[in-house]
Amino acid sequence: IESVELFFVFSLKSPTWVPISKPDTTVVAPSKECTWYCMMRVTDDDNLTAIDTATYSVLQDLPTVTASEDTLTVSIKDTLELDAMAYDKLGKIVLYQWSCGNSGVAGKYFVSSTSTPRYSAIMPTTETSDYLCIIRITDDDGNIAEDTTKITALQDPPTLKVSTESFTTRVNSPIGINASASDKTGYIAKREW
């Protein structure tokens, strides 16, 4: 083989050939989606040529992200463990960001991580039905995807039911008493008699 030439085009109509020194090389794909052709031409010592073409589909590989929850109901001041599933078919996710706040504020101030989509968010101190937590991811091509978890934070007082069973007992005798308590979106942290 006397010479090897390579040409990359969006159209096969009028290629301009570029000499290369060996038959294998590395090139960078175009920065937009397209059908891209790579043509190689070789010439032997008798000045005879052969041409072959490879066709590539260059894709804009957009990442996807799905927050673990679409909607949640929690107590005010709870610490909520947020998570998401992120995917990039032909690349990798390089940045995970969360932003939480009432509608209009969420999405303005992001907390960033390069290694995990997990985030511990402290819920608001007052009741709200429009609290949002937004996950935003960025892939290695700079593409961004987002998903949102809508949160209702309630002032959730506990409920208490003391056993109302009436009975008679002696002076200085032990009395067994019973009660049940629950908290719809949290847990009972303290019990006192």
Side-chain angles (χ1 to χ4, degrees), residues 33 59-64 87-89 139 141 143-145:
E33 286 191 7
L59 302 176
Q60 182 79 26
D61 176 35
L62 299 175
T64 59
Y87 181 69
D88 191 45
K89 184 177 181 180
D139 71 5
D141 296 322
N143 298 309
I144 293 173

Side-chain angles (χ1 to χ4, degrees), residues 110-125:
F110 281 93
V111 176
S112 300
S113 170
T114 57
S115 60
T116 182
R118 292 189 177 107
Y119 176 62
S120 295
I122 298 173
M123 295 297 100
T125 58

Side-chain angles (χ1 to χ4, degrees), residues 90-169:
L90 300 175
K92 64 181 181 175
I93 307 300
V94 296
L95 186 62
Y96 303 91
Q97 297 174 295
W98 281 98
S99 178
C100 295
N102 286 330
S103 182
V105 175
K108 291 189 177 185
Y109 309 102
F110 281 93
V111 176
S112 300
S113 170
T114 57
S115 60
T116 182
R118 292 189 177 107
Y119 176 62
S120 295
I122 298 173
M123 295 297 100
T125 58
T126 58
E127 284 191 331
T128 182
S129 62
D130 68 345
Y131 198 74
L132 305 174
C133 286
I134 299 170
I135 176 75
R136 178 169 67 188
I137 61 166
T138 306
D139 71 5
D140 55 350
D141 296 322
N143 298 309
I144 293 173
E146 291 183 347
D147 197 20
T148 302
T149 299
K150 184 177 182 203
I151 299 168
T152 300
L154 298 176
Q155 178 97 25
D156 178 34
T159 59
L160 175 63
K161 179 69 176 156
V162 175
S163 176
T164 58
E165 186 178 311
S166 296
F167 56 90
T168 304
T169 187

Side-chain angles (χ1 to χ4, degrees), residues 156-162 179-185 187-188 191:
D156 178 34
T159 59
L160 175 63
K161 179 69 176 156
V162 175
S180 62
S182 64
D183 191 54
K184 186 173 16 173
T185 60
Y187 62 93
I188 303 300
R191 291 176 174 84

Side-chain angles (χ1 to χ4, degrees), residues 52-71:
D52 199 10
T53 304
T55 304
Y56 298 91
S57 293
V58 179
L59 302 176
Q60 182 79 26
D61 176 35
L62 299 175
T64 59
V65 65
T66 304
S68 296
E69 303 286 343
D70 289 331
T71 58

Side-chain angles (χ1 to χ4, degrees), residues 5-12 15 17 20 23 25-27 35-41 51-58:
E5 297 171 296
L6 197 59
F7 186 66
F8 298 94
V9 292
F10 297 107
S11 168
L12 295 175
W17 296 98
I20 60 171
T25 189
T26 302
V27 296
T35 300
W36 199 45
Y37 304 98
C38 173
M39 299 170 59
M40 181 175 277
R41 177 172 67 187
I51 297 174
D52 199 10
T53 304
T55 304
Y56 298 91
S57 293
V58 179

